Amino acid sequence: MTGAEAIVAVLEDAGVEVVFGLCGDTSLPFYDALARSDVIEHVLTRDERSASYMADAYARLSGRVGICEGPSGGGATYIVPGVAEANGSSVPVVCLTSDVGVEDRGKGTLTEMDQRALFASLTRAAFDPGSADRMAEDVRDAFTVATGGSLGACHVSLPLDLQSASAGTRPVATSDRYPRERPEPDPEAITQAAKVLCESRRPVIVAGAGVLRSGAWDSITRLAETLGAAVATSICGKGAIPETHPLSLGVIGSNGGLSWRHDLVRDADVVFYVGGGTGSVTTEKWSLPPAGSATVLQLDTDHDRLGRNHDLAAGLLGDARVGLDSLIEAVNREGGGGAGSRFDPEAIRAGKARHRGRTEELFASPEVPIRPERLMSELFDALPPRSVVLADPGTPCPYVSAYWELPEAGRWFVSPRAFGALGYALPAVVGAWYARPDAGQIVGVMGDGSFGISVGELETLVRLQVPAVLIVCNNAGYGWIKAGQKSRGDRYHAVDFGRSDHAAIARAYGMEAVRVEDPAELEGALRAAIGHAGPCLVDVVTQPLEEARAPVSKWIA
């Protein structure tokens, strides 16, 4: 067995079914081994960055490790964005990049670089094996690290000569499922947190992506109902509770949050963060809740996140589902179960109604260019049940976060928030399709800036016949930055570009596509795209973001 064959054996033993990547000279033995696998499908991408985004989306939506691969040199540098995003978002991804041979290092060999140094600060672990046996063991260990603890990305370099060298027996099998372990918080911390919650009058739970990674949505809903606590989420925690639930506030924070939701959080006497960092966006730069206004609790698998930005009455280090289930038992022991009325659901209904009354005309607006709210309203009405939406972090993110009311808990929405890199949604729909082929519909929503970054993957969607709908918000500029410039005094610089015909571009790749400029044509275009059997693109000429009323608090302010 060669080193490359041993690597493929490790992947097969782990349960891997798909690898996203791009070929290169130093990858030839690895590709030869992959080609002989009857288990693993290789998805050829047009860009290594796209491969990493596909692996990221696949991992988030499948509960399994995402695998991306690329060649040495430029391939290793191009694949970095998605690996960094996955690691920053605690998404289990294993990245494999081939490398020059060990015997050729230090000689000025073409594409030579210190891959371990490149990836060390971007991953939970970066491996640089020195033998064929060690290479296969490092791939196995990468799975172990990526799926344990707080989760994240790992990288393994695959030297060319080691891929062809003889390897011994294959390493002991691992698994691509996560989380691999579910640590339980300290019982004393559970008891203390339960006491605080039972004594609270207006508790709010803020759910992050850790709730989804743990599959803890039923647990968090039970705790909310037991306490009568409202549940808000971060952007990446969207889906932690059905957003039609009477105790659901929806997304909070400076991106996708709404003022009525923030008012209710500010009134809370206890705020309980579950499975999410208390970062700048969700907390509106640590002003939500106001300092000293509420007792703060936190449950997370990452020790470094506990108490990072708040003094905690109790810090619970452990898995979200296990911790929440233990907490429910403790709350019931403390006599807090059955309260169910601490937070009046009527306050939530009234907040929703007030906001809708102030903004209702936007969702039905006949204005041209088309208002983003009108686009979102038509899209959400057209989506079949159990659809998956992937939104780029620019124009689409705040609108989808704020206004898509998820009727079912779970991971139905993905937007990359660790680094907010554009160009994610278009390739990510491929990873989503492999993860959730039974989804009602897979939709990628992006701005025209993001489209331009990843346009080459249209060929991938057509080649694979991925049944996804791509929606481009065509506003002829980097709208998020332009809106930020407007908030600083209406001076625009280096943010505008020409308005492209994205539908014509998609048709040139062989994809069904339509351009929409009249809001009256939106419903028909979206429903036709959703009904299409293969990939389809809808190019929507939308209002420039700097003129819009986006749910982004710093612009509103």
Side-chain angles (χ1 to χ4, degrees), residues 14-199:
V16 172
E17 296 176 349
V18 61
V19 172
F20 306 95
L22 186 60
C23 50
D25 292 348
T26 51
S27 304
L28 290 173
F30 179 50
Y31 268 55
D32 185 53
L34 270 178
R36 286 181 275 116
S37 174
D38 296 326
V39 176
I40 299 172
E41 178 178 357
H42 182 274
V43 174
L44 174 64
T45 67
R46 301 300 297 270
D47 185 288
E48 291 89 351
R49 173 187 49 202
S50 295
S52 62
Y53 286 156
M54 291 177 193
D56 174 274
Y58 174 86
R60 295 188 199 227
L61 291 163
S62 68
R64 307 173 74 169
V65 177
I67 312 295
C68 58
E69 62 85 18
S72 58
T77 59
Y78 274 36
I79 210 166
V80 160
V83 177
E85 174 62 42
N87 195 58
S89 297
S90 299
V91 177
V93 163
V94 171
C95 173
L96 310 173
T97 56
S98 56
D99 199 358
V100 301
V102 174
E103 62 184 18
D104 292 328
R105 292 179 178 176
K107 300 177 181 179
T109 304
L110 181 68
T111 73
E112 180 182 1
M113 71 168 68
D114 187 342
Q115 292 192 9
R116 186 172 188 174
L118 173 65
F119 286 94
S121 66
L122 306 172
T123 60
R124 294 194 65 208
F127 300 88
D128 183 22
S131 69
D133 286 338
R134 185 67 255 173
M135 187 166 59
E137 291 169 2
D138 283 350
V139 172
R140 178 204 58 195
D141 292 348
F143 276 83
T144 302
V145 174
T147 58
S150 57
L151 310 181
C154 288
H155 172 263
V156 185
S157 63
L158 312 179
L160 177 59
D161 51 358
L162 300 187
Q163 294 177 50
S164 298
S166 177
T169 58
R170 63 212 286 169
V172 176
T174 185
S175 171
D176 70 342
R177 305 283 178 168
Y178 71 86
R180 179 174 51 81
E181 53 195 27
R182 293 184 179 274
E184 183 169 357
D186 178 73
E188 291 186 10
I190 289 285
T191 299
Q192 177 60 25
K195 185 174 186 297
V196 171
L197 289 169
C198 288
E199 293 174 352

Side-chain angles (χ1 to χ4, degrees), residues 195-204 227-230 247 264 266-271 292-295 339-344:
K195 185 174 186 297
V196 171
L197 289 169
C198 288
E199 293 174 352
S200 65
R201 294 173 292 100
R202 291 176 62 81
V204 171
L227 291 169
L247 291 171
L264 294 178
R266 291 187 184 99
D267 286 344
D269 63 334
V270 172
V271 175
S293 68
T295 301
S341 59
R342 287 187 173 89
F343 213 105
D344 185 2

Side-chain angles (χ1 to χ4, degrees), residues 346-408:
E346 181 56 40
I348 298 175
R349 285 194 293 270
K352 288 181 179 179
R354 285 195 305 273
H355 180 81
R356 190 72 186 194
R358 291 194 300 267
T359 59
E360 193 162 12
E361 77 281 0
L362 303 179
F363 294 90
S365 172
E367 292 181 52
V368 177
I370 296 169
R371 281 192 172 272
E373 292 88 352
R374 176 69 183 266
L375 169 58
M376 295 298 149
S377 178
E378 299 284 8
L379 172 62
F380 302 149
D381 286 347
L383 283 178
R386 301 177 70 81
S387 290
V388 172
V389 175
L390 303 106
D392 257 285
T395 299
C397 182
Y399 288 100
V400 181
S401 299
Y403 298 128
W404 188 27
E405 191 173 68
L406 290 175
E408 182 177 351

